[in-house]
Amino acid sequence: MTYTNEMVAVKTETFSGVAAKSPVSQNIRTMLRRACVEKRLTVGLLPAIQYLTNNCNGALFCLTTEAPPGDSATHMQEVLLQAFCVENDIYIIKVDSEEKMRTILGCRNQSVDFSCVLVHYPYTDPFTDSQEIDLSVLTEAERDLIEYCDNWEYSQTPVIKLPEK
């Protein structure tokens, strides 16, 4: 099933009964830009799979777009990646456009694959043996997105329409 023409409308909804400060799409943009500055992104489907092979607890979010129609190999990789994410408590967010993610992150290189972007956890001390995750170091946008993602089921993940800029 493709979501190209069936986008779920993004509303400034509530997160746990509290009015959201910004729509989900704005939180995604804020999170992506900050994670980019902090160098905690893995961009591309194959690099994401390679990263998760070595560090299954290092990703907080996995943002994906739909595979192009007829590209069954990429579709299978995406399905397996999403199943892996569900199994390892990585939040999956489907977005409407690879091009919009590229624009948000300021990449003009059209050959870079933006069909999948992993956002890593921010660690307080990446050199310790303990990979304890301090959730207090997450941004407000990341915490809002976690609350938002907790409100839907894996099989019903909506496609979020990203802002144009």
Side-chain angles (χ1 to χ4, degrees):
M1 175 176 188
T2 62
Y3 292 93
T4 310
N5 296 323
E6 299 177 280
M7 302 289 173
V8 173
V10 177
K11 299 181 271 181
T12 311
E13 290 211 352
T14 60
F15 296 100
S16 303
V18 178
K21 293 180 182 164
S22 61
V24 175
S25 60
Q26 297 297 326
N27 282 331
I28 292 170
R29 180 175 64 183
T30 300
M31 175 193 60
L32 283 173
R33 287 184 174 167
R34 179 156 183 177
C36 183
V37 168
E38 295 173 353
K39 297 185 180 357
R40 41 185 197 103
L41 293 178
T42 300
V43 176
L45 182 60
L46 293 178
I49 291 169
Q50 291 169 344
Y51 175 84
L52 291 171
T53 299
N54 298 320
N55 190 358
C56 64
N57 296 322
L60 175 61
F61 292 102
C62 177
L63 285 82
T64 63
T65 59
E66 291 292 316
D71 188 352
S72 58
T74 301
H75 176 72
M76 285 189 290
Q77 288 175 326
E78 287 176 353
V79 169
L80 291 172
L81 174 66
Q82 290 175 17
F84 182 88
C85 289
V86 167
E87 189 174 310
N88 288 282
D89 298 320
I90 299 167
Y91 295 100
I92 301 167
I93 299 175
K94 292 184 182 180
V95 297
D96 66 328
S97 170
E98 189 175 334
E99 187 59 39
K100 288 179 185 177
M101 277 204 291
R102 180 181 284 112
T103 301
I104 288 170
L105 293 171
C107 180
R108 292 193 172 103
N109 185 346
Q110 296 295 317
S111 66
V112 176
D113 171 23
F114 275 84
S115 65
C116 178
V117 175
L118 288 181
V119 178
H120 309 176
Y121 277 103
Y123 292 99
T124 53
D125 184 2
F127 299 106
T128 62
D129 291 336
S130 171
Q131 293 283 313
E132 286 291 318
I133 297 163
D134 180 5
L135 297 180
S136 69
V137 300
L138 298 179
T139 65
E140 184 177 344
E142 290 168 333
R143 287 191 299 269
D144 283 350
L145 286 169
I146 287 171
E147 282 188 53
Y148 189 79
C149 289
D150 283 340
N151 290 326
W152 68 60
E153 297 293 321
Y154 169 67
S155 62
Q156 298 173 351
T157 304
V159 176
I160 306 300
K161 186 174 182 179
L162 292 176
E164 296 294 326
K165 297 180 184 180

